[in-house]
Amino acid sequence: AQSVTQLGSHVSVSEGALVLLRCNYSSSVPPYLFWYVQYPNQGLQLLLKYTSAATLVKGINGFEAEFKKSETSFHLTKPSAHMSDAAEYFCAVSDTGGGNKLTFGTGTQLKVEL
Amino acid sequence: GAVVSQHPSWVICKSGTSVKIECRSLDFQATTMFWYRQFPKQSLMLMATSNEGSKATYEQGVEKDKFLINHASLTLSTLTVTSAHPEDSSFYICSASPGTASEYGYTFGSGTRLTVV
């Protein structure tokens, strides 16, 4: 079975500050890992994905994430937060066996303050 | 590319009635689509995997007779909530991928807010 754990259901940063959203995974096989963003009453938008290529993955809107196998982590970062980054962020894992099922973390609500 | 359209965006229905939600892949064919349910301020819970031309695969604990899924074409999957009750009120989201997860990831619809009164 695979799972992801997102530490911190709420994260608050100042505009211009570093954003760090934590995600740790558990998987019996090499995983695919994803970060999605959700704005209120909307679907999910893919920020980036790790699929066993480069361990440092760059996504949209200035976000990036690094896959660290030794730490079973896939933390999401952005050097400088913008007000428009305020949203719910979900980490998700999918197995590489072709099942294509996504298992989501519990989400982290990012608040950006002036 | 890879757009998934979901309709309606929101719906209010009376208790005991049925509601149909549509999920369409607009610019690709999807043999598989996924249906999720999201409670307020919670994560997404996979309800079922919709397979074109065959029966859907339901996750444990999901009532297949209450949540009817039909995937009659390569671009359309529907979720029908039958005999809806207030506890069925939730945010329902579908997703699909134009290819492998490693290459394309998953694209999500904009969701449907169901309120049963």
Side-chain angles (χ1 to χ4, degrees):
Chain A
Q2 54 198 5
S3 64
V4 288
T5 301
Q6 290 184 244
L7 294 175
S9 58
H10 292 83
V11 171
S12 184
V13 300
S14 300
E15 190 175 33
L18 171 71
V19 175
L20 171 60
L21 304 182
R22 300 179 186 274
C23 173
N24 288 88
Y25 70 90
S26 174
S27 178
S28 57
V29 297
Y32 293 154
L33 293 160
F34 306 81
W35 275 100
Y36 285 89
V37 61
Q38 184 182 33
Y39 296 96
N41 294 309
Q42 294 189 29
L44 276 68
Q45 181 183 14
L46 178 66
L47 286 174
L48 49 81
K49 63 183 184 331
Y50 166 77
T51 56
S52 74
T55 56
L56 181 61
V57 182
K58 294 186 183 298
I60 62 171
N61 300 339
F63 285 95
E64 63 180 40
E66 186 172 7
F67 174 74
K68 291 186 177 180
K69 185 177 179 180
S70 60
E71 298 178 8
T72 60
S73 69
F74 190 58
H75 302 330
L76 181 71
T77 60
K78 182 174 180 177
S80 177
H82 191 273
M83 295 297 288
S84 60
D85 295 327
E88 185 86 19
Y89 291 80
F90 292 97
C91 181
V93 62
S94 174
D95 66 62
T96 54
N100 283 335
K101 288 185 182 181
L102 274 179
T103 301
F104 286 89
T106 51
T108 298
Q109 181 71 45
L110 175 65
K111 183 179 180 181
V112 182
E113 301 174 317
L114 287 172
Chain B
V3 178
V4 173
S5 174
Q6 193 171 336
H7 180 80
S9 298
W10 57 271
V11 57
I12 301 174
C13 71
K14 292 185 177 180
S15 187
T17 62
S18 296
V19 173
K20 180 183 286 188
I21 302 170
E22 294 186 349
C23 180
R24 294 181 185 272
S25 55
L26 298 186
D27 50 1
F28 65 97
Q29 294 183 330
T31 55
T32 302
M33 292 184 175
F34 302 91
W35 287 97
Y36 294 85
R37 182 174 181 177
Q38 185 179 30
F39 292 101
K41 301 192 182 299
Q42 292 189 30
S43 189
L44 283 76
M45 180 189 75
L46 179 65
M47 298 175 65
T49 302
S50 173
N51 304 298
E52 187 269 335
S54 63
K55 291 183 179 180
T57 304
Y58 291 83
E59 295 300 300
Q60 191 173 9
V62 177
E63 299 177 62
K64 62 181 181 180
D65 294 331
K66 165 165 277 293
F67 300 101
L68 298 179
I69 291 173
N70 184 279
H71 195 155
S73 79
L74 287 171
T75 59
L76 174 64
S77 174
T78 60
L79 169 67
T80 301
V81 183
T82 63
S83 186
H85 288 92
E87 58 266 30
D88 299 324
S89 297
S90 192
F91 194 57
Y92 295 88
I93 311 175
C94 68
S95 78
S97 178
T100 61
S102 61
E103 186 173 4
Y104 296 97
Y106 303 88
T107 301
F108 285 79
S110 55
T112 298
R113 173 74 61 192
L114 170 63
T115 302
V116 184
V117 298

